[in-house]
Amino acid sequence: MTDVVILGGGTAGWMTACLIAHRWPGATVTLVESPEIGIVGVGEGSTPQLKGFFDTLGIAESDWMPACDATYKLGIGFDGWSDRPGYDRYFHPFPTALDSHTAASFFYATRARRTGRDVEAHPDRFLLPARLAADARAPQPAENFPFEVSYGYHFDAHKVGAFLAGHATGPLGVVHRQARVTTIERAPNGDVAALLCDDGARIAGDLFVDSSGFRSLIFGALEVPFVGYGDTLFNDSAVVMPTPGRTPVPSQTSATALSAGWVWDIPLTTRTGNGYVYSSRHLTPAQAEAELRTHLGIGDAGQARHLKMRVGRVRNSWSHNALAVGLAQGFLEPLEATALHLVIATVEAFLDAVDRGGTMPENRTAFNATIAARYDGVRDYIVAHYRLNQRNDDPVGYWAEARAVAPSDSLKGLMSAWFTGADMAAAIDQAGLGRYYSAISWHCLMAGYGTFPDAARLMPPGADIDRIDMARIDDFLTRCARNFDAHDRHLPHKDFP
Ligand SMILES: Cc1cc2nc3c(=O)[nH]c(=O)nc-3n(C[C@H](O)[C@H](O)[C@H](O)COP(=O)(O)OP(=O)(O)OC[C@H]3O[C@@H](n4cnc5c(N)ncnc54)[C@H](O)[C@@H]3O)c2cc1C
């Protein structure tokens, strides 16, 4: 695989170009994109894997963050997904080394409350990133503080694409072509032989990457089946509009439930990204836009952009001599901002597979099974948000319908462990779900929505329950939080010294 051709210059295409050119310096990598088609231009929140991506490429935060209006992200605050008193909001943090000090108490407390004891079990009371995010602190500790906190970023999607294009075509030597691909030429054995462009060019190669977005041009031509997730994830539309930036700049994404979906709030240094991800079975685009405008309090000001999404994944991400990444590979709604994470995971797993075992069919089969399981694992976590929502403000019946979706067998097993008071960490291990979301994440989701017996039915904790010293945990978190500076002071951006 020395001649790599990438179709598409969105974030997925340029990330892939960087990773392949970095790992295989002897390969010729060509990226072709059509400026007139353009990129989807959303996707502005990440997981900590994006930090790993920039670290792999040797690109410092001080280089890319200012160029992309980027901010730090400690996790996601879920607002309005539950009506349970005391559980209207919770924070889902990225897992971090300091969790080992409080996670055991958190797990113990949730189990005690699940089995009917009146103990404090809200995740935000136990985990440091929730405290840091609530105070708009950055994830960088003071120098003498011996623990790191893991984090992701928020960024401008167009600017990240441009930054990565500069890195790919500069130090990494990727060839950039601008043309519209009209035909996928096949070889007699079914492989892709070349991309034919509207300017008459024929771009041949031995590996083709489909990062053509929802068009999925190459995988469409290869007729790779698509596995839809629409039966459990209803949201297939979005309406997007920016609002001005604000200070202090939050160090978290917010995901606020509305009548038929949820709205993201992604804070950049220069603006706030907002988008209502909703189900077109429950709302028209005009209704969704009106609801978003009301939520943002902006009346008729500004221009909204409407998007339709194809929800699910290709059955096989590696087919013939082609690899699918990004929206051409699949789409899971951005509730956990996992798309770029999946791009990185797919490309790295592919490079590992080829470096280890070449293009042998069994190698390809194993890779495809791994990536499909990863998608399905993330899908399960997102479905759990809907299945366990406790929102009764439900004018269009969306939230009740979401509570009734059929969970996968592994998710069903996990829910049954939760409701029967079983050991969740063991159940997560057994279902293999810990590979995609940690036990802490699962506990946050289930406890965060107040999925416990009604408060009136809880009994005071008796002598059989260890006392959880909340004052001590609170004091520990307060002392730790003092070691973290204000987010604004840490932003490596020209306007944020
Ligand atoms: C509403 C929404 C919110 C999202 N939020 C998040 C988030 O918070 N976090 C996250 O990680 N991800 C998120 N995503 C996903 C994220 O936007 C994408 O994964 C990411 O932008 C990568 O997109 P892409 O590169 O696959 O596709 P695109 O950006 O659509 O790029 C496709 C490329 O293919 C090119 N192309 C297409 N057809 C042709 C042709 N015939 N000839 C030549 N070139 C062609 C286009 O010109 C373009 O360059 C979100 C997605 C949506 C829809």
Side-chain angles (χ1 to χ4, degrees):
M1 290 185 175
T2 53
D3 231 329
V4 182
V5 179
I6 298 173
L7 169 55
T11 323
W14 285 115
M15 287 177 95
T16 306
C18 287
L19 287 172
I20 294 181
H22 177 81
R23 176 82 77 95
W24 292 343
T28 302
V29 180
T30 304
L31 183 146
V32 56
E33 62 159 334
S34 160
E36 91 209 16
I37 292 176
I39 67 168
V40 71
V42 283
E44 306 200 316
S46 83
T47 61
Q49 276 69 17
L50 192 64
K51 177 165 167 31
F53 166 81
F54 281 111
D55 289 349
T56 299
L57 297 177
I59 299 174
E61 287 180 348
S62 54
D63 286 335
W64 79 268
M65 286 184 72
C68 302
D69 305 343
T71 63
Y72 293 108
K73 171 179 172 186
L74 285 156
I76 305 172
F78 290 86
D79 260 308
W81 291 66
S82 171
D83 296 340
R84 295 262 174 143
Y87 290 90
D88 54 331
R89 179 171 217 280
Y90 80 95
F91 186 75
H92 178 201
F94 295 127
T96 213
L98 266 159
D99 296 339
S100 59
H101 291 264
T102 51
S105 301
F106 175 41
F107 293 177
Y108 188 83
T110 58
R111 194 168 185 185
R113 197 169 175 104
R114 281 190 276 142
T115 51
R117 308 308 169 111
D118 190 5
V119 299
E120 175 59 74
H122 194 291
D124 293 7
R125 296 291 308 276
F126 292 86
L127 299 167
L128 180 66
R131 184 71 61 97
L132 301 179
D135 295 347
R137 291 181 195 260
Q140 281 79 8
E143 249 169 46
N144 57 356
F145 190 72
F147 299 98
E148 283 192 0
V149 164
S150 66
Y151 58 86
Y153 307 97
H154 307 114
F155 46 82
D156 180 302
H158 285 272
K159 291 182 179 176
V160 159
F163 183 90
L164 292 176
H167 186 75
T169 54
L172 292 173
V174 171
V175 180
H176 184 197
R177 303 277 297 264
Q178 295 197 330
R180 188 182 187 115
V181 172
T182 52
T183 310
I184 311 298
E185 184 188 305
R186 307 284 296 275
N189 68 354
D191 279 4
V192 179
L195 306 184
L196 308 185
C197 303
D198 61 351
D199 59 3
R202 176 179 183 275
I203 309 174
D206 42 32
L207 169 67
F208 291 81
V209 177
D210 190 349
S211 48
S212 62
F214 284 125
R215 287 179 165 79
S216 201
L217 230 60
I218 297 177
F219 272 58
L222 293 176
E223 295 178 21
V224 177
F226 189 78
V227 180
Y229 288 153
D231 53 339
T232 49
L233 293 173
F234 308 155
N235 296 340
D236 59 357
S237 306
V239 49
V240 180
M241 32 191 335
T243 48
R246 55 204 198 264
T247 51
V249 184
S251 46
Q252 61 179 307
T253 301
S254 292
T256 305
L258 293 185
S259 72
W262 59 278
V263 173
W264 76 73
D265 168 315
I266 292 189
L268 309 187
T269 54
T270 47
R271 65 171 161 82
T272 304
N274 311 285
Y276 185 6
V277 182
Y278 67 95
S279 153
S280 64
R281 269 198 305 113
H282 296 83
L283 286 187
T284 65
Q287 288 170 325
E289 182 175 331
E291 197 180 350
L292 176 63
R293 287 179 179 280
T294 305
H295 170 72
L296 297 174
I298 55 170
D300 292 337
Q303 189 75 28
R305 200 153 69 88
H306 289 264
L307 298 166
K308 279 298 279 182
M309 286 96 74
R310 181 182 71 144
V311 184
R313 61 166 169 84
V314 291
R315 183 183 294 161
N316 294 319
S317 294
W318 179 0
S319 176
H320 292 275
N321 58 340
L323 176 72
V325 297
L327 299 173
Q329 177 189 30
F331 175 81
L332 276 162
E333 65 181 77
L335 191 56
E336 294 288 341
T338 41
L340 300 184
H341 171 148
L342 287 165
V343 170
I344 298 164
T346 299
V347 177
E348 288 187 337
F350 175 78
L351 293 170
D352 289 346
V354 173
D355 284 345
R356 210 176 33 239
T359 56
M360 302 295 287
E362 56 273 24
N363 202 22
R364 184 161 46 195
T365 304
F367 166 86
N368 281 329
T370 304
I371 298 301
R374 191 160 196 145
Y375 255 88
D376 294 352
V378 176
R379 186 263 330 261
D380 278 350
Y381 193 74
I382 296 176
V383 168
H385 281 286
Y386 290 101
R387 190 68 171 71
L388 295 168
N389 88 79
Q390 306 285 332
R391 185 181 167 96
N392 294 306
D393 174 8
D394 194 13
V396 294
Y398 169 93
W399 293 99
E401 219 183 297
R403 275 193 293 276
V405 296
S408 69
D409 287 346
S410 26
L411 181 53
K412 207 185 293 175
L414 211 59
M415 286 165 49
S416 136
W418 180 268
F419 289 116
T420 56
D423 178 343
M424 279 291 286
I428 290 164
D429 258 6
Q430 204 180 351
L433 286 169
R435 272 174 292 165
Y436 314 112
Y437 283 95
S438 69
I440 291 182
S441 290
W442 282 105
H443 279 82
C444 281
L445 193 160
M446 291 179 161
Y449 292 140
T451 316
F452 296 115
D454 285 342
R457 286 178 36 223
L458 294 173
M459 298 175 300
D464 57 327
I465 295 286
D466 289 344
R467 187 164 166 266
I468 302 162
D469 189 343
M470 288 312 297
R472 206 172 59 83
I473 291 174
D474 201 53
D475 179 56
F476 170 75
L477 297 180
T478 305
R479 279 186 292 112
C480 287
R482 282 196 204 115
N483 290 282
F484 292 80
D485 213 346
H487 186 211
D488 288 4
R489 275 210 285 280
H490 260 282
L491 290 171
H493 186 267
K494 59 180 171 11
D495 297 329
F496 290 88

CSV table of all heavy atoms in Angstrom, one decimal, residues 410-433:
chain,number,residue,atom,x,y,z
A,410,SER,N,-26.6,-6.7,25.5
A,410,SER,CA,-25.6,-6.3,26.6
A,410,SER,C,-26.1,-5.2,27.4
A,410,SER,O,-25.9,-5.1,28.6
A,410,SER,CB,-24.2,-6.0,26.0
A,410,SER,OG,-24.3,-5.6,24.7
A,411,LEU,N,-26.8,-4.2,26.8
A,411,LEU,CA,-27.4,-3.1,27.5
A,411,LEU,C,-28.5,-3.6,28.5
A,411,LEU,O,-28.6,-3.2,29.6
A,411,LEU,CB,-27.9,-2.0,26.6
A,411,LEU,CG,-28.5,-0.8,27.2
A,411,LEU,CD1,-27.5,-0.1,28.2
A,411,LEU,CD2,-28.9,0.2,26.1
A,412,LYS,N,-29.2,-4.6,28.0
A,412,LYS,CA,-30.3,-5.1,28.8
A,412,LYS,C,-29.7,-5.8,30.0
A,412,LYS,O,-30.2,-5.6,31.2
A,412,LYS,CB,-31.1,-6.2,28.0
A,412,LYS,CG,-32.5,-6.4,28.4
A,412,LYS,CD,-33.2,-7.5,27.7
A,412,LYS,CE,-33.4,-7.2,26.2
A,412,LYS,NZ,-33.9,-8.4,25.5
A,413,GLY,N,-28.6,-6.5,29.9
A,413,GLY,CA,-27.9,-7.2,31.0
A,413,GLY,C,-27.4,-6.1,32.0
A,413,GLY,O,-27.6,-6.3,33.2
A,414,LEU,N,-26.9,-5.0,31.5
A,414,LEU,CA,-26.4,-4.0,32.4
A,414,LEU,C,-27.6,-3.3,33.2
A,414,LEU,O,-27.4,-3.1,34.4
A,414,LEU,CB,-25.7,-2.9,31.5
A,414,LEU,CG,-24.6,-2.2,32.1
A,414,LEU,CD1,-23.5,-3.2,32.5
A,414,LEU,CD2,-24.0,-1.2,31.2
A,415,MET,N,-28.7,-3.1,32.5
A,415,MET,CA,-29.8,-2.5,33.2
A,415,MET,C,-30.3,-3.4,34.2
A,415,MET,O,-30.7,-3.0,35.3
A,415,MET,CB,-30.9,-2.1,32.2
A,415,MET,CG,-30.5,-0.9,31.3
A,415,MET,SD,-31.5,-0.6,29.9
A,415,MET,CE,-33.1,-0.8,30.5
A,416,SER,N,-30.4,-4.7,33.9
A,416,SER,CA,-30.9,-5.6,34.9
A,416,SER,C,-30.0,-5.7,36.1
A,416,SER,O,-30.4,-5.7,37.2
A,416,SER,CB,-31.1,-6.9,34.2
A,416,SER,OG,-30.7,-8.0,34.9
A,417,ALA,N,-28.7,-5.6,35.9
A,417,ALA,CA,-27.7,-5.6,37.0
A,417,ALA,C,-28.0,-4.4,37.9
A,417,ALA,O,-28.0,-4.4,39.1
A,417,ALA,CB,-26.3,-5.6,36.5
A,418,TRP,N,-28.2,-3.2,37.3
A,418,TRP,CA,-28.5,-2.0,38.0
A,418,TRP,C,-29.7,-2.1,38.9
A,418,TRP,O,-29.7,-1.9,40.1
A,418,TRP,CB,-28.6,-0.8,37.1
A,418,TRP,CG,-28.9,0.5,37.7
A,418,TRP,CD1,-30.1,1.1,38.0
A,418,TRP,CD2,-27.9,1.4,38.2
A,418,TRP,NE1,-29.9,2.3,38.6
A,418,TRP,CE2,-28.6,2.5,38.8
A,418,TRP,CE3,-26.5,1.4,38.2
A,418,TRP,CZ2,-27.9,3.6,39.3
A,418,TRP,CZ3,-25.8,2.5,38.8
A,418,TRP,CH2,-26.6,3.6,39.3
A,419,PHE,N,-30.8,-2.6,38.2
A,419,PHE,CA,-32.1,-2.6,39.0
A,419,PHE,C,-32.2,-3.7,40.0
A,419,PHE,O,-33.0,-3.7,40.9
A,419,PHE,CB,-33.3,-2.7,38.0
A,419,PHE,CG,-33.4,-1.4,37.2
A,419,PHE,CD1,-33.2,-1.4,35.8
A,419,PHE,CD2,-33.8,-0.2,37.8
A,419,PHE,CE1,-33.4,-0.2,35.1
A,419,PHE,CE2,-33.9,1.0,37.1
A,419,PHE,CZ,-33.7,1.0,35.8
A,420,THR,N,-31.3,-4.8,39.8
A,420,THR,CA,-31.4,-5.8,40.8
A,420,THR,C,-30.4,-5.7,41.9
A,420,THR,O,-30.2,-6.5,42.8
A,420,THR,CB,-31.2,-7.2,40.2
A,420,THR,OG1,-29.9,-7.2,39.5
A,420,THR,CG2,-32.3,-7.6,39.2
A,421,GLY,N,-29.6,-4.5,41.9
A,421,GLY,CA,-28.7,-4.3,43.0
A,421,GLY,C,-27.4,-5.1,42.8
A,421,GLY,O,-26.6,-5.2,43.8
A,422,ALA,N,-27.1,-5.6,41.6
A,422,ALA,CA,-25.9,-6.4,41.4
A,422,ALA,C,-24.7,-5.5,41.3
A,422,ALA,O,-24.8,-4.3,41.2
A,422,ALA,CB,-26.1,-7.3,40.2
A,423,ASP,N,-23.5,-6.2,41.3
A,423,ASP,CA,-22.2,-5.4,41.2
A,423,ASP,C,-22.1,-5.0,39.7
A,423,ASP,O,-21.9,-5.8,38.8
A,423,ASP,CB,-21.1,-6.4,41.6
A,423,ASP,CG,-19.7,-5.7,41.4
A,423,ASP,OD1,-19.6,-4.7,40.8
A,423,ASP,OD2,-18.8,-6.3,42.0
A,424,MET,N,-22.2,-3.6,39.5
A,424,MET,CA,-22.2,-3.1,38.2
A,424,MET,C,-20.8,-3.3,37.5
A,424,MET,O,-20.8,-3.5,36.3
A,424,MET,CB,-22.5,-1.6,38.2
A,424,MET,CG,-24.0,-1.3,38.3
A,424,MET,SD,-24.8,-1.8,36.8
A,424,MET,CE,-24.4,-0.5,35.7
A,425,ALA,N,-19.8,-3.0,38.2
A,425,ALA,CA,-18.5,-3.1,37.6
A,425,ALA,C,-18.3,-4.5,37.0
A,425,ALA,O,-17.8,-4.7,35.9
A,425,ALA,CB,-17.4,-2.8,38.6
A,426,ALA,N,-18.7,-5.5,37.7
A,426,ALA,CA,-18.6,-6.9,37.2
A,426,ALA,C,-19.5,-7.1,36.0
A,426,ALA,O,-19.1,-7.7,35.0
A,426,ALA,CB,-19.0,-7.9,38.3
A,427,ALA,N,-20.7,-6.5,36.1
A,427,ALA,CA,-21.6,-6.7,34.9
A,427,ALA,C,-21.1,-6.0,33.7
A,427,ALA,O,-21.2,-6.5,32.6
A,427,ALA,CB,-23.0,-6.1,35.3
A,428,ILE,N,-20.4,-4.9,33.9
A,428,ILE,CA,-19.9,-4.1,32.7
A,428,ILE,C,-18.8,-5.0,32.1
A,428,ILE,O,-18.7,-5.1,30.9
A,428,ILE,CB,-19.4,-2.8,33.2
A,428,ILE,CG1,-20.6,-1.9,33.5
A,428,ILE,CG2,-18.5,-2.1,32.1
A,428,ILE,CD1,-20.2,-0.6,34.4
A,429,ASP,N,-18.0,-5.5,32.9
A,429,ASP,CA,-16.9,-6.4,32.5
A,429,ASP,C,-17.4,-7.6,31.7
A,429,ASP,O,-17.0,-7.9,30.6
A,429,ASP,CB,-16.1,-7.0,33.7
A,429,ASP,CG,-14.8,-6.2,33.9
A,429,ASP,OD1,-14.6,-5.2,33.2
A,429,ASP,OD2,-14.0,-6.7,34.8
A,430,GLN,N,-18.4,-8.2,32.3
A,430,GLN,CA,-19.0,-9.4,31.7
A,430,GLN,C,-19.6,-9.1,30.3
A,430,GLN,O,-19.5,-9.9,29.4
A,430,GLN,CB,-20.1,-9.9,32.6
A,430,GLN,CG,-20.3,-11.4,32.5
A,430,GLN,CD,-21.4,-11.8,33.5
A,430,GLN,OE1,-21.8,-11.1,34.4
A,430,GLN,NE2,-21.8,-13.1,33.3
A,431,ALA,N,-20.3,-8.0,30.2
A,431,ALA,CA,-20.9,-7.6,28.9
A,431,ALA,C,-19.9,-7.1,27.9
A,431,ALA,O,-20.2,-6.8,26.8
A,431,ALA,CB,-22.0,-6.6,29.2
A,432,GLY,N,-18.7,-6.9,28.3
A,432,GLY,CA,-17.6,-6.4,27.4
A,432,GLY,C,-17.8,-4.9,27.2
A,432,GLY,O,-17.2,-4.3,26.2
A,433,LEU,N,-18.7,-4.2,27.9
A,433,LEU,CA,-19.0,-2.8,27.6
A,433,LEU,C,-18.0,-1.8,28.1
A,433,LEU,O,-17.9,-0.7,27.7
A,433,LEU,CB,-20.4,-2.5,28.2
A,433,LEU,CG,-21.6,-3.1,27.4
A,433,LEU,CD1,-22.9,-2.9,28.2
A,433,LEU,CD2,-21.7,-2.4,26.0
